[in-house]
Amino acid sequence: MPTRRAKIPATKYPVERFTLDNGLRVVLTPDRSAPVIGVAVVYDVGIRSEPEGRTGFAHLFEHLMFQGSENLEKLAHFRHVQGAGGTFNGSTHLDYTDYFETLPSNALERALFLEADRMRGPRLTEENLRNQVDVVKEEIRVNVLNRPYGGFPWLTLPPVMFDTFPNAHDGYGSFVDLESATVADAADFFRRYYASGNAVLAVSGDVDVAEATELIERHFGDVPARPAPQRPDFTEPDLTTERRASYTDNLAPLPAVAGAWRVPDPVDDFAGYLAYVVLAEVLTDGDASRLVERLVQRDRTVTSLGGYLGFMGDPFDVRDPTALLLQAHLPPGGDVDKVLRTIDEELDRLATDGLTEGELARTQARMATHLLRDTDAVLGRALRMAVLEQQRGEPGLLNELPRLVGEVTEEQVRAAAATLRPERRASIEVIAGGAR
């Protein structure tokens, strides 16, 4: 009996692309349904690009980009965006750093001026640097050092799975490295990576294409041209023997475990990669999913379970090498070995026996719903299109993602499950020290 396929709706967001003489790539996606715009600038530099001895520098530099710019004093960016009724932020990822605003559409020129001004140059002073080093250190204390399961597994699992510094190091940074950062380091990082030729600007929402194009050329056209740096090759060989590690978390009340397997290149083998994206959802998304039903409901060997692609949970925003991750929290005295064995059993059963009637269609429909929801807001659309342009040169792929997810077949999912063997797995166990 053929497997029932999910009926996946499509989006038809228009896409306009052009490149300025200084190398800045621009993506426009107009939507006049509401007087709101999303503006995003994405630079092709992230955690993996940090030099040895400067862990945490990509994230630190993201903070510095908010401390004033060529024509604006400290805190001016905050004041101009919020004064127009908008919101803003930035974030650092493995392969890129983004800066973004949501604003009323009549504030488009204001947003473009602000982003162009800091693309010309942030205010890199000793005072700003020392202040932001302290801010980042406090962020690490709050999010990692003084939080149960802090950094689990996105900081703790990569050094088990990978051998090279770019893939294995702590992206939040060590206090020693952060405190050693200098203004000269920051200036060099800006010159190398924050070039117009290494960036993508995306604007979505209530914009007129001709007017927006003229404003972009006016504000960004005279940003000095600097070419994009040569991107290093971060690839590593796959694992051939299982790797395991553990550590005690003195704040954790319950044990936990996370396992990861390498997956195909998300850019060069997108069709092969998509099968793993769907597989992760088949295994863990919802009460009816394979592993939730077995481990949480039937065996009760775990209390919670999740699965996703990418160490930061960003399946369509990451380059190779990346992984499929499964993570679980266990009850007091839980048996990590038993949990890993059960996962192996369920993967074998899926690879051998296939999926039940309607299982794949249900999963794909849920995934499509999430994809459509994530890009319904103008900012989500701008951010996704900017990264798709940067990593693939295909911002319009955003319209195709729900359909492509729906075209993954049962045979592809079974084949993907068959590759998740114990000898290819890296895992990290959290020993609960807070239970005392």
Side-chain angles (χ1 to χ4, degrees):
M1 179 183 292
T3 301
R4 182 161 54 89
R5 302 294 287 272
K7 291 190 69 175
I8 305 296
T11 55
K12 297 181 179 179
Y13 297 123
V15 180
E16 300 282 344
R17 302 167 66 214
F18 59 93
T19 303
L20 299 185
D21 291 343
N22 58 16
L24 176 67
R25 287 177 283 168
V26 180
V27 179
L28 302 177
T29 173
D31 176 358
R32 311 307 294 268
S33 60
V36 181
I37 55 168
V39 177
V41 178
V42 175
Y43 295 89
D44 198 347
V45 58
I47 290 168
R48 283 201 255 231
S49 298
E50 294 170 345
E52 292 194 49
R54 287 294 178 264
T55 58
F57 206 90
H59 177 232
L60 173 63
F61 198 87
E62 175 216 317
H63 280 244
L64 290 172
M65 287 284 280
F66 288 95
Q67 302 306 303
S69 53
E70 186 171 273
N71 294 295
L72 294 170
E73 73 278 11
K74 190 171 184 175
L75 301 182
H77 191 106
F78 299 58
R79 189 171 64 253
H80 286 298
V81 174
Q82 293 172 336
T87 60
F88 66 94
N89 212 332
S91 59
T92 308
H93 302 252
L94 291 178
D95 295 305
Y96 66 93
T97 306
D98 56 25
Y99 304 86
F100 47 89
E101 295 86 18
T102 302
L103 287 156
S105 55
N106 62 4
L108 172 62
E109 185 166 16
R110 179 179 300 210
L112 296 176
F113 164 75
L114 293 172
E115 290 297 348
D117 203 58
R118 63 178 165 187
M119 185 179 286
R120 290 188 186 89
R123 294 205 176 190
L124 303 176
T125 67
E126 185 67 24
E127 178 188 0
N128 285 343
L129 177 60
R130 299 277 68 90
N131 173 267
Q132 291 309 301
V133 166
D134 289 342
V135 170
V136 170
K137 286 167 62 179
E138 185 60 23
E139 188 175 329
I140 294 169
R141 291 187 188 100
V142 170
N143 292 338
V144 180
L145 301 180
N146 296 319
R147 173 179 291 187
Y149 313 104
F152 170 79
W154 77 279
L155 293 178
T156 56
L157 189 49
V160 183
M161 169 164 268
F162 296 116
D163 295 318
T164 65
F165 175 82
N167 296 318
H169 78 275
D170 179 349
Y172 245 144
S174 73
F175 282 9
V176 171
D177 284 357
L178 289 168
E179 290 165 354
S180 300
T182 67
V183 172
D185 292 333
D188 182 66
F189 196 82
F190 176 79
R191 281 193 298 269
R192 182 184 300 270
Y193 295 112
Y194 278 71
S196 53
N198 207 37
V200 174
L201 165 67
V203 180
S204 67
D206 184 22
V207 295
D208 175 82
V209 171
E211 180 187 1
T213 300
E214 191 275 325
L215 289 173
I216 289 166
E217 290 175 341
R218 181 191 307 170
H219 288 284
F220 286 89
D222 64 350
V223 174
R226 299 199 311 280
Q230 183 69 36
R231 189 174 181 276
D233 182 358
F234 296 129
T235 57
E236 286 192 36
D238 195 2
L239 299 184
T240 55
T241 57
E242 184 179 12
R243 294 183 180 181
R244 294 183 63 172
S246 64
Y247 67 98
T248 298
D249 183 337
N250 289 322
L251 299 175
L254 297 172
V257 66
W261 298 259
R262 291 279 298 277
V263 296
D265 188 315
V267 176
D268 292 345
D269 185 11
F270 190 48
Y273 175 78
L274 273 179
Y276 291 83
V277 179
V278 176
L279 171 61
E281 301 299 312
V282 167
L283 293 172
T284 64
D285 186 34
D287 291 343
S289 61
R290 292 286 176 119
L291 294 181
V292 172
E293 186 178 32
R294 173 71 187 275
L295 291 166
V296 179
Q297 298 174 353
R298 191 197 318 172
D299 296 355
R300 298 190 176 182
T301 51
V302 309
T303 59
S304 64
L305 181 75
Y308 48 94
L309 272 289
F311 286 92
M312 302 180 79
D314 45 4
F316 303 116
D317 299 346
V318 68
R319 292 184 172 114
D320 193 61
T322 189
L324 183 152
L325 283 80
L326 299 174
Q327 67 179 76
H329 291 79
L330 285 65
D335 187 340
V336 166
D337 289 336
K338 183 177 181 180
V339 171
L340 292 176
R341 284 197 305 270
T342 305
I343 290 172
D344 293 336
E345 289 173 15
E346 288 299 314
L347 288 168
D348 286 341
R349 186 165 73 87
L350 175 55
T352 302
D353 300 339
L355 291 90
T356 60
E357 175 64 22
E359 184 178 9
L360 180 59
R362 180 184 69 239
T363 301
Q364 290 168 320
R366 288 170 66 112
M367 294 177 70
T369 298
H370 294 156
L371 285 168
L372 294 168
R373 182 189 62 199
D374 290 346
T375 55
D376 184 55
V378 291
L379 180 59
R381 215 174 303 157
L383 286 166
R384 177 62 55 82
M385 284 197 176
V387 176
L388 290 172
E389 168 64 38
Q390 184 175 82
Q391 297 184 353
R392 304 166 183 272
E394 293 184 80
L397 186 62
L398 177 142
N399 289 318
E400 304 296 322
L401 285 176
R403 177 184 62 79
L404 293 172
V405 163
E407 290 177 354
V408 173
T409 66
E410 177 180 349
E411 290 71 26
Q412 289 175 297
V413 175
R414 291 175 64 177
T419 69
L420 303 190
R421 306 299 305 161
E423 62 270 17
R424 295 184 60 242
R425 180 174 60 217
S427 61
I428 185 76
E429 176 185 354
V430 179
I431 300 168
R436 297 190 296 271

